[in-house]
């Protein structure tokens, strides 16, 4: 009798304990169900969420493959058994992820006007089932460009729905979980372009766990925060990070104190009042979960230095005279601070091992780093172009200068552009990229070699479109900067027309990320015996006039006929600095060598007018060379040229009616026109009117 009573008591206690569990209903489509995941009962996102939440929770999966949110859709969730079971479950927490299947051409084009009302009705039905429940709706998981209907409508309808879902969360006063961002930069985890793998489901589960519990791992700051950092002067400074939901965060520096409360999504930010150049200061960021202190913080000018190998080219690789000059300077200039993000794996002609391949998929491409003071050792390993740029700024402005470097050798422009921009503005470059003729064959070949040991058909690589944006730009978290210097193009010079589409997209992509029209100063490719470089250099010159707030540093006089990495870089950095000093800091300094403005054809000759033409002469005291002239047929012949009243007269006895002129039109050129600042003229070709 006693044993029977004891068993009954244990049973009653067990039932009471089960009743005290928090019930979580995961409502959704095939992504929630776990379609395509091996052993989905264990590896779907609700199953993984159960393990994360622990025994105090009961998580149930009410996903239905193919289900639509729309009640008039081709498979309405509201008519499925899973929906009825979810209502009967009466969850205390309800997580709804629907909408992906509504991008079907059978649904959104016809019934989009019902989307908001149908979603609000669904939400209300769960509140009626359990009036005390808390509900979160989800921004949808990504649909990759590889989806068969991506370009025919799905892409556009997907983003329309995302905006509607955000509006619905506000209207219905629900929580909003972002399941899009956490997987958007992991297309390798969407093998069929729609359904995540078990690893992808784990990321979804973690994202839902954070939203339900408010546990985001405590106070954390972006990678750009460390001792010795430089903060941008004279502009409101957004300081942001993550913390547990609801935590109060206090930021202090130089007598300023700003406070805020962390949002439900774990994000927080404060805006510091503009600060004048100075320091060193101590920056403290404090929350109940942690206190972070950064020492030796300076306030000055911050620039992002990016591109490919000629920007990555180090001070210790310079010609001896330039290397010694910069290293000597580095020992005397603690006001320059360096943030040197270097790749873990160089894209040399090697096959990467499994460790490298797995890390690349996880977007762990750069070494962990922090800000360092400037000294011979740190400068020696830093970009020569960037350091020379920073030196000229520091000397001219007499303020601290911070330089962020993230250049990657061999990288193409497409690797540095955000995914959404390419999905909408250059979708074709995303498809099967290692076989895609929009991308240089050398780039594709090197990527194939590096990833040869990978069995993953979606293996990531630094040269893949979007990859370096996702690993090199996004982690900077909009760290406040003054502007960008850029040296890249060698890996796109084979297709000028493609680059003319990509480069403006890149500039606009970065400006959208920082939410301001940042100055963007870039290097025109130098001289080397590669036939396409004549046209590419001129394309770069012309884009300076079509993309606002840009400037171009000429480097053709410092080229090498055989080496794509010329060893004279100091001048290039200084020419970039001239653009910054003139355009960004309004200093009275000539920013460039002569730039073609116009051509007047008369008296059997061409009269060329240049910008920045004061003091025109030749760099070597010899007659002007490399000018050519042609009639309408475009058959150029070598021409004579002389400087007359600040213009260049160009003519040839072979050409009676000149209509076209070009200058320095050789891949490796010995053009010799300079201005009074000894700055070289850009190579150019006139266009027929």
């Amino acid at each position: 009798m006693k044993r029977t009573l004891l068993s009954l008591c244990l049973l009653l206690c067990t039932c009471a304990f089960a009743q005290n569990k928090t019930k979580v209903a995961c409502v959704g489509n095939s992504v929630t169900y776990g379609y395509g995941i091996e052993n989905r009962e264990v590896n779907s996102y609700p199953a993984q969420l159960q393990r994360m939440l622990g025994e105090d929770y009961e998580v149930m999966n009410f996903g239905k493959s193919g289900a639509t949110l729309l009640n008039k859709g081709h498979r309405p969730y509201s008519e499925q058994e899973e929906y009825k079971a979810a209502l009967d479950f009466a969850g205390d927490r309800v997580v709804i992820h629907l909408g992906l299947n509504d991008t079907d051409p059978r649904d959104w084009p016809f019934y989009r006007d019902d989307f908001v009302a149908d979603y609000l009705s669904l939400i209300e039905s769960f509140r009626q089932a359990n009036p005390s429940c808390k509900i979160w709706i989800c921004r949808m998981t990504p649909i990759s460009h590889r989806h068969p209907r991506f370009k025919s409508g799905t892409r556009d309808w997907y983003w329309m729905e995302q905006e509607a879902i955000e509006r619905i969360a506000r209207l219905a006063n629900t929580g909003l979980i972002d399941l899009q961002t956490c997987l958007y930069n992991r297309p390798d985890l969407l093998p069929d372009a729609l359904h995540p793998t078990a690893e992808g489901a784990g990321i979804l589960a973690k994202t839902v766990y954070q939203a339900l519990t408010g546990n985001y791992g405590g106070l954390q700051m972006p990678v750009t925060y460390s001792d010795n950092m430089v903060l941008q002067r004279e502009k409101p400074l957004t300081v942001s990070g993550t913390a547990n939901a609801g935590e109060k965060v206090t930021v202090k520096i130089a007598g300023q104190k700003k406070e805020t409360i962390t949002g439900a999504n774990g994000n927080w930010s404060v805006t510091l009042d503009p600060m004048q150049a100075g320091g060193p200061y101590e920056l403290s960021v404090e929350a109940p979960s942690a206190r972070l202190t950064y020492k030796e913080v300076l306030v000055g000018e911050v620039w992002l230095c990016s591109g490919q190998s000629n920007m990555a080219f180090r001070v210790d690789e310079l010609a001896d005279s330039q290397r010694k000059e910069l290293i000597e300077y580095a020992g005397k200039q603690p006001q320059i601070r360096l943030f040197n993000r270097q790749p873990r794996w160089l894209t040399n002609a090697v096959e990467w091992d499994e460790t490298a391949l797995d890390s690349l998929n996880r977007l762990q491409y750069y070494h962990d780093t922090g800000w360092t003071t400037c000294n011979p050792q740190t400068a020696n390993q830093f970009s020569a172009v960037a350091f020379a740029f920073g030196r000229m700024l520091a000397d001219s402005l007499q303020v601290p200068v911070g330089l962020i470097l993230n250049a990657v050798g061999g990288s193409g422009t497409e690797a540095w552009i955000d995914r959404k921009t390419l999905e909408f503005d250059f979708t074709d470059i995303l498809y099967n990229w290692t076989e895609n003729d929009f991308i240089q064959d050398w780039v594709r070949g090197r990527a194939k070699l590096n990833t040869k040991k990978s069995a993953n058909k979606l293996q990531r690589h630094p040269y893949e479109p979007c990859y370096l944006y996702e690993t090199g730009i996004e982690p900077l978290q909009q760290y406040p900067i003054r502007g960008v210097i850029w040296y890249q193009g060698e890996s796109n010079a084979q297709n000028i027309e493609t680059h003319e589409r990509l480069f403006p997209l890149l500039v606009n992509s970065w400006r959208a990320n920082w939410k301001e029209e940042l100055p963007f100063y870039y290097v025109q490719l130098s001289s080397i015996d590669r036939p396409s470089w004549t046209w590419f250099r001129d394309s770069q010159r012309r884009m300076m006039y079509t993309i606002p707030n840009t400037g171009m540093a000429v480097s053709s006089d410092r080229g090498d006929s055989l080496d794509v990495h010329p060893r004279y870089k100091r001048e290039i950095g200084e020419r970039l600095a001239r653009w910054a000093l003139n355009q960004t800091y309004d200093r009275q300094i000539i920013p460039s060598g002569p730039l073609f403005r116009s051509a007047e054809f008369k008296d059997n000759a061409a009269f060329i007018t240049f910008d920045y033409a004061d003091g025109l002469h030749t760099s070597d005291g010899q007659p002007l060379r490399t000018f050519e002239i042609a009639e309408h047929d475009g058959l150029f012949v070598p021409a004579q040229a002389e400087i007359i009243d600040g213009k260049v007269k160009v003519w040839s006895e072979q050409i009676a009616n000149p209509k076209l002129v070009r200058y320095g039109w050789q891949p490796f050129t010995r053009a010799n026109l300079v201005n009074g600042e000894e700055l070289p003229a850009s190579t150019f070709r006139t266009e027929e009117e």
Side-chain angles (χ1 to χ4, degrees):
M1 183 66 178
K2 289 182 179 180
R3 182 173 296 175
T4 302
L5 288 173
L6 179 60
S7 299
L8 180 61
C9 289
L10 288 172
L11 178 61
L12 290 172
C13 289
T14 301
C15 292
F17 178 74
Q19 291 174 354
N20 288 332
K21 287 187 176 183
T22 299
K23 297 192 294 182
V24 180
C26 296
V27 173
N29 46 41
S30 54
V31 172
T32 300
Y33 176 80
Y35 177 86
I37 296 177
E38 185 177 355
N39 196 8
R40 74 164 193 90
E41 292 80 5
V42 175
N43 292 321
S44 66
Y45 105 70
Q48 296 193 55
L49 177 64
Q50 174 70 77
R51 295 193 291 275
M52 293 177 184
L53 290 171
E55 59 185 14
D56 291 338
Y57 290 79
E58 181 185 3
V59 180
M60 292 295 290
N61 186 338
F62 297 104
K64 175 65 174 180
S65 291
T68 65
L69 180 282
L70 287 164
N71 292 333
K72 294 179 181 177
H74 65 276
R75 184 176 291 177
Y77 186 78
S78 59
E79 296 179 5
Q80 309 305 311
E81 291 298 323
E82 288 79 0
Y83 169 62
K84 299 172 184 177
L87 290 178
D88 291 342
F89 182 67
D92 304 299
R93 308 284 186 269
V94 181
V95 179
I96 305 173
H97 176 226
L98 285 167
L100 288 176
N101 294 307
D102 299 86
T103 65
D104 190 291
R106 294 172 288 179
D107 303 314
W108 183 262
F110 298 103
Y111 308 118
R112 69 180 74 190
D113 290 338
D114 298 339
F115 191 83
V116 172
D118 288 353
Y119 215 138
L120 292 173
S121 176
L122 181 74
I123 292 167
E124 182 59 26
S125 69
F126 283 103
R127 285 178 171 155
Q128 291 180 5
N130 182 351
S132 63
C133 74
K134 295 182 179 180
I135 298 176
W136 287 261
I137 65 175
C138 299
R139 295 186 75 243
M140 298 177 294
T141 53
I143 300 177
S144 168
H145 65 275
R146 291 175 282 106
H147 190 281
R149 295 194 305 269
F150 188 78
K151 291 198 295 183
S152 64
T154 290
R155 172 196 60 194
D156 306 272
W157 302 332
Y158 171 88
W159 286 102
M160 293 177 191
E161 284 189 36
Q162 292 286 49
E163 293 179 3
I165 289 168
E166 293 169 9
R167 186 167 69 255
I168 291 163
R170 295 191 295 270
L171 291 171
N173 195 27
T174 68
L176 181 66
I177 301 176
D178 186 358
L179 296 186
Q180 190 261 345
T181 300
C182 63
L183 282 182
Y184 194 42
N185 58 8
R186 293 299 306 273
D188 56 301
L189 299 183
L190 302 172
D192 66 354
L194 187 65
H195 299 98
T197 63
E199 182 182 350
I203 294 173
L204 297 181
K206 180 181 178 181
T207 303
V208 175
Y209 168 85
Q210 291 172 329
L212 267 58
T213 64
N215 181 359
Y216 289 87
L219 181 64
Q220 298 177 58
M221 298 296 290
V223 296
T224 41
Y225 284 76
S226 76
D227 293 345
N228 301 307
M229 66 196 296
V230 181
L231 297 175
Q232 178 60 49
R233 66 170 175 154
E234 298 176 353
K235 64 192 304 186
L237 286 176
T238 299
V239 179
S240 59
T242 58
N244 294 333
E247 282 195 314
K248 179 180 178 181
V249 178
T250 303
V251 178
K252 298 179 183 178
I253 185 174
Q256 293 194 50
K257 178 181 178 180
K258 304 291 183 179
E259 297 178 332
T260 190
I261 302 298
T262 306
N265 60 2
N267 296 326
W268 62 266
S269 69
V270 300
T271 301
L272 297 173
D273 300 331
M275 302 172 67
Q276 296 301 311
Y281 300 111
E282 181 175 287
L283 171 67
S284 68
V285 184
E286 186 172 2
S289 55
R291 186 177 192 274
L292 304 174
T293 302
Y294 305 105
K295 299 181 179 180
E296 294 294 318
V297 176
L298 299 180
V299 178
E301 292 298 310
V302 184
W303 285 79
L304 174 59
C305 315
S306 193
Q308 60 180 105
S309 53
N310 272 308
M311 180 62 83
F313 191 96
R314 302 187 308 270
V315 170
D316 69 358
E317 297 175 293
L318 286 171
D320 287 346
S321 60
Q322 294 198 352
R323 178 180 57 80
K324 291 176 181 177
E325 177 186 343
L326 293 183
I327 290 301
E328 181 180 354
Y329 178 86
K332 304 174 183 177
Q333 184 50 276
Q335 292 287 83
I336 294 180
R337 302 289 174 83
L338 310 174
F339 190 81
N340 193 355
R341 298 199 80 202
Q342 294 192 3
R344 295 175 186 267
W345 296 277
L346 299 177
T347 51
N348 296 331
V350 296
E351 297 177 16
W352 288 335
D353 61 20
E354 290 185 9
T355 300
L357 295 169
D358 184 63
S359 295
L360 287 163
N361 287 339
R362 297 174 187 273
L363 306 182
Q364 297 167 349
Y365 180 54
Y366 288 96
H367 283 290
D368 295 334
T369 191
W371 288 90
T372 61
T373 57
C374 175
N375 58 55
Q377 291 72 41
T378 56
N380 215 27
Q381 298 299 306
F382 201 73
S383 161
V385 169
F387 189 72
F389 170 85
R391 179 179 78 155
M392 191 165 179
L393 286 192
D395 287 349
S396 300
L397 303 174
Q398 291 296 299
V399 300
V401 172
L403 303 171
I404 300 172
L405 175 67
N406 64 358
V408 174
S411 58
T413 308
E414 61 277 359
W416 294 96
I417 301 173
D418 74 279
R419 186 170 298 277
K420 188 176 181 182
T421 292
L422 288 185
E423 284 181 347
F424 275 87
D425 297 324
F426 205 156
T427 318
D428 289 343
I429 204 168
L430 294 168
Y431 291 101
N432 194 17
W433 73 275
T434 58
E435 303 294 336
N436 192 320
D437 285 339
F438 283 118
I439 298 172
Q440 191 180 86
D441 55 0
W442 181 92
V443 169
R444 293 182 278 127
R446 182 55 54 88
K448 290 178 183 178
L449 176 62
N450 293 155
T451 61
K452 189 174 181 179
K453 293 180 180 178
S454 175
N456 184 351
K457 294 182 179 180
L458 300 176
Q459 173 65 47
R460 310 300 301 276
H461 188 277
Y463 296 166
E464 176 188 346
C466 311
Y467 187 87
L468 291 175
Y469 182 91
E470 293 166 347
T471 57
I473 299 300
E474 280 187 356
L476 301 181
Q477 296 286 303
Q478 296 90 40
Y479 187 82
I481 61 176
R482 179 67 74 188
V484 177
I485 59 172
W486 175 258
Y487 194 163
Q488 192 276 334
E490 298 90 340
S491 290
N492 294 88
Q494 89 292 347
N495 193 328
I496 295 152
E497 290 73 22
T498 294
H499 183 259
E500 287 177 344
R501 293 177 63 185
L502 289 171
F503 187 58
L505 293 178
L506 181 144
V507 175
N508 292 334
S509 169
W510 291 21
R511 288 173 172 172
N513 178 66
W514 269 277
K515 297 180 174 63
E516 61 177 302
E517 192 180 274
L518 295 169
F520 203 104
Y521 304 127
Y522 60 93
V523 180
Q524 184 187 46
L525 292 192
S526 63
S527 297
I528 193 173
D529 282 331
R530 295 184 179 178
S532 67
W533 281 36
T534 52
W535 287 95
F536 193 86
R537 287 196 301 258
D538 203 47
S539 170
Q540 289 181 296
R541 179 188 63 83
R542 286 184 280 104
M543 283 194 288
M544 180 173 55
Y545 300 104
T546 59
I547 306 174
N549 203 11
T550 59
M552 182 190 75
V554 175
S555 70
S556 52
D557 63 323
R558 289 294 182 266
D560 187 308
S561 62
L562 300 176
D563 192 347
V564 74
H565 303 118
R567 297 181 64 210
Y568 291 89
K569 291 284 196 291
R570 186 205 67 215
E571 301 91 336
I572 312 308
E574 292 172 350
R575 291 170 191 174
L576 288 166
R578 281 177 170 270
W579 277 108
L581 290 168
N582 178 273
Q583 299 290 324
T584 303
Y585 301 108
D586 200 27
R587 296 300 177 97
Q588 297 302 308
I589 185 173
I590 302 300
S592 174
L595 294 173
F596 170 78
R597 182 196 301 170
S598 63
E600 181 183 9
F601 296 95
K602 64 180 182 179
D603 301 330
N604 301 325
F607 293 84
I608 310 299
T609 301
F610 295 88
D611 293 322
Y612 313 117
D614 287 350
L616 286 181
H617 65 286
T618 59
S619 59
D620 53 8
Q622 300 297 312
L624 284 171
R625 56 177 175 261
T626 73
F627 277 93
E628 299 172 273
I629 198 165
E631 296 189 359
H632 284 295
D633 56 16
L635 300 177
F636 285 91
V637 300
Q640 294 176 276
E642 64 176 334
I643 299 166
I644 302 176
D645 296 330
K647 298 183 180 181
V648 175
K649 178 183 177 183
V650 184
W651 76 98
S652 170
E653 294 181 358
Q654 301 178 52
I655 303 296
N657 186 25
K659 294 298 180 183
L660 296 168
V661 174
R662 63 188 188 188
Y663 166 72
W665 205 257
Q666 303 85 31
F668 177 75
T669 180
R670 299 191 183 278
N672 63 346
L673 177 63
V674 298
N675 61 14
E677 297 289 315
E678 302 298 329
L679 298 171
S682 169
T683 60
F684 69 90
R685 183 186 190 277
T686 64
E687 297 180 6
E688 188 171 356
E689 296 181 356

